[in-house]
Each structure stands twice: as structure tokens, then as C-alpha cells.
Amino acid sequence: MADIERTRTREREPLAENYYERFMRSRRAFIERQKSGPVVIKAKDREMHLTRQGRIIYFLDKLTFPDTPLQDWLVFVHDLKTQSGKHRHQGGLVIYVIEGKGWSIVDDERVDWEAGDLLLLPIKKGGVTHQHFNAEPGKDCHWIAFSYMPFFDYNASEFTQVDTSPLYKGT
């Protein structure tokens, strides 16, 4: 009599890719980021970028740093040499001045600030146009911005660049 060999598969075939499976995979990735994502972001591990707004170091940005736990936040430091670009968005941005002094033009109104101050861009229908200036060009002037991106998404906020920083030479 011929020997019969039986095999049993214990692992399931991979499930077909669909919305639910992508959602479940994203939730597992979220949990993993919370467990193993960095607790401290070192400035030396981030690089300065010259943008239409000026010289910026991004600390939290889900597009650039998908390994960080707090994917809903955009956090960046602006190294304000002379002036930033000018742009408009819904508002709701929090800026803490780390070093230096200057002013911002917020919807055509000048507001002065210095190290230790907190700026709160108002939330306004149609957005808030703003630009920032270093009162002492040649001296260090840095601030850090915190933006909770679900707020921007919920309000369908757009970002419109009005003028670029004089440092920016890109197209």
C-alpha cells in the first residue's frame, strides 16, 4: 500500500488588501510608534532647511519623520535672520520666542515680542496673514512653533504663501 503524506497549513494566507486591513495595519503601526518612537528629539539629529518662510528646523512632521509618536503635531524652530516670508492660514498657531526680539505683522497690525513671550495667532474665518521680523538683524532670533494639525484639517485650513523670505532663492 502506498504511503499517504498529509500536510496541514497552520498559517492563514495573507488577507486581501482593502480599507479595513490598511486601517488595522495603521493602528498596529500607531501602537508600535507609541512603544518605540523617540522620547527625545535631538536638535543635532535634525537639519536646517531653507524654505519660502526662511530657515527652519522641523522637529515633528509626520511626512518627514514617520517614526515619531506624536504624528498629529507639526513642531519647528524658525531661525529668523531678518524677516520671514508672509503667508496666510486659519490661525491657531502657538509660537514661543526662545531668543532675540522682533515683531510680527498680523493682519496688518504690528505686535512686538521678545525672548520668553508666547504668540497666539488668532483663529479667524478666511485665515490670518502674518509675517515675522528680527528687530536686531545680525543677532540670534529663534522661536518655536506648535501646530496641532487635526485642527487645521478640521477647519479645512489652507496655507497661502503671499511673499517669500529674502533668504530663499529657490523656485
Side-chain angles (χ1 to χ4, degrees), residues 76-78 80 95-99 113 132 141-145:
F76 61 91
V77 170
H78 195 137
L80 193 56
I95 297 172
Y96 178 76
V97 182
I98 300 168
E99 180 177 24
W113 43 258
H132 313 283
C141 186
H142 297 94
W143 50 255
I144 187 166

Side-chain angles (χ1 to χ4, degrees), residues 147-159:
S147 181
Y148 185 62
M149 296 312 291
F151 167 80
F152 285 89
D153 295 342
Y154 178 78
N155 287 299
S157 185
E158 66 169 281
F159 285 78

Side-chain angles (χ1 to χ4, degrees), residues 3 14 42 51 59 65 69 83 100 112 116 119 121 125-126 129 137 139 144 166 168 170:
D3 289 331
K42 302 276 188 182
T51 73
F59 282 81
F65 307 110
Q83 69 188 59
D112 295 308
L119 286 76
L121 288 183
K125 182 177 180 179
T129 302
K139 289 190 177 181
I144 187 166
Y168 185 69

Side-chain angles (χ1 to χ4, degrees), residues 2-4 10 13 21 28 42-43 51 58 60 105 141 154 164:
D3 289 331
I4 299 175
R10 292 195 176 256
E13 295 295 320
E21 296 309 320
R28 286 189 300 273
K42 302 276 188 182
T51 73
Y58 291 93
L60 290 179
I105 304 295
C141 186
Y154 178 78
T164 59

Side-chain angles (χ1 to χ4, degrees), residues 49 65 90 97 118:
H49 297 275
F65 307 110
Q90 190 66 37
V97 182
L118 188 70

